[in-house]
Amino acid sequence: MLENTFEALTGAIYLDGGFEEAETFLLSFLTPAVENHAVRFKDYKTMLQEAVQSDSKITVRYEIIGESGPDHDKRFSVQALSGNKVIGTGDGKTKKGAEQNAAKNAMMLLGYTV
């Protein structure tokens, strides 16, 4: 909900004041976040792959195990597998997001720091 409100507010500023006003508004939020490294993305898939490969030569693969919801609001369920063993599962609004969540859950279950 908060993301939708922020998007609507940005759109209203753009419609009312133009591109420069909207840019100023957005940069007032984004610049401090980037400068302070407050915006962080962890690539759990890469982290998991590196952790698993340091212990063995087995790679991690991801398999979609379910889809739900209407086309405009799909949810995906994914399992992370090492060899033939399920090491984690995850859900998300996109396949990539579900894979990231499966990798994060696998890392936690395997005892790696996330």
Side-chain angles (χ1 to χ4, degrees), residues 29-106:
F29 287 96
L30 296 176
T31 302
V34 171
E35 287 174 354
N36 296 323
H37 305 287
V39 177
R40 295 181 187 181
F41 171 75
K42 288 190 176 181
D43 182 0
Y44 293 107
K45 288 177 65 175
T46 299
M47 292 168 62
L48 176 62
Q49 185 66 47
E50 289 172 353
V52 169
Q53 281 187 329
S54 72
D55 294 335
S56 67
K57 296 297 178 196
I58 297 174
T59 60
V60 178
R61 64 185 173 84
Y62 299 88
E63 200 172 89
I64 297 170
I65 56 174
E67 288 182 28
S68 62
D71 286 342
H72 68 279
D73 192 24
K74 281 270 190 218
R75 298 284 305 172
F76 297 93
S77 296
V78 170
Q79 60 186 10
L81 298 110
S82 179
N84 291 323
K85 182 180 177 186
V86 176
I87 58 173
T89 60
D91 297 317
K93 289 189 172 212
T94 64
K95 292 175 186 176
K96 289 184 184 219
E99 289 173 351
Q100 286 289 337
N101 288 330
K104 180 180 180 182
N105 290 333

